Amino acid sequence: MTQRVELATVMDRLAVDDLITDYAGAVDDGDWEAYRRLFAPDGRADYRSAGGIEGDAGQVAAWLAESMRVFPVRQHLIVNRRVTFGLLERDTGDTARVRADYVNPMRFAADGGSPAPDFVCGGRYAFGLLRTAEGWRLREVTVQEKWRRLPDRPGAGVIN
């Protein structure tokens, strides 16, 4: 590999990392317009393993906007990112796959004077990315929830 190709690969890895971080920020901040912009035109997401839906970015953003109302405090921690670049039309680096683990602590909305309980889940994301004229975009997001801890029941709700 030439130094120029290696530099391009590093720049792509940084851009892919930014996209994954922007994804977490959009969900945590409830910025559903930003969430939609992260996707390629044919982009889809699948949250079924976590009790959600599968659909295009607009459908999933609308579902997230409604379902996340019960969690006014959210904080994705996306770690252990493994990035691999693929081929599209014989050009290395037009696609990428990212496998990453997540821990997602959230807080339920407070109910009157009671303290709000926490809800925590974890699992693995599989991201499929595509290089577009606007930069890297999500083509697919698949959530594989592996566990969850429900409030008032430590250790309950473990999913395999």
Side-chain angles (χ1 to χ4, degrees):
M1 222 186 271
T2 68
Q3 194 172 15
R4 180 174 288 174
V5 172
E6 289 173 356
L7 179 58
T9 301
V10 169
M11 296 301 291
D12 280 335
R13 287 183 68 86
L14 291 170
V16 164
D17 192 63
D18 282 350
L19 181 65
I20 302 305
T21 299
D22 289 346
Y23 165 87
V27 173
D28 292 345
D29 295 343
D31 189 343
W32 309 118
E33 188 55 41
Y35 178 91
R36 287 182 196 89
R37 286 193 308 268
L38 298 171
F39 284 80
D42 63 345
R44 302 186 67 76
D46 184 349
Y47 290 80
R48 291 178 292 183
S49 80
I53 68 166
E54 187 275 334
D56 66 40
Q59 292 168 321
V60 173
W63 172 78
L64 283 168
E66 184 61 32
S67 63
M68 291 292 111
R69 288 178 196 231
V70 298
F71 302 110
V73 177
R74 302 180 287 273
Q75 184 179 27
H76 275 77
L77 305 171
I78 301 179
V79 299
N80 301 333
R81 300 174 195 204
R82 172 73 61 200
V83 179
T84 54
F85 291 102
L87 300 173
L88 181 67
E89 299 175 11
R90 289 183 249 138
D91 187 4
T92 301
D94 283 337
T95 64
R97 306 267 332 145
V98 178
R99 186 191 79 194
D101 296 324
Y102 71 88
V103 175
N104 187 12
M106 299 181 281
R107 174 156 289 164
F108 281 99
D111 200 14
S114 303
D118 293 333
F119 172 92
V120 183
C121 60
R124 180 164 287 160
Y125 279 112
F127 296 99
L129 289 76
L130 177 68
R131 184 194 310 273
T132 70
E134 293 79 33
W136 287 99
R137 293 293 181 265
L138 297 168
R139 191 176 225 173
E140 59 188 67
V141 175
T142 303
V143 174
Q144 180 188 5
E145 185 176 275
K146 294 184 177 185
W147 62 271
R148 63 173 56 175
R149 186 174 61 227
L150 302 170
D152 300 322
R153 294 172 40 199
V158 174
I159 297 174
N160 292 327

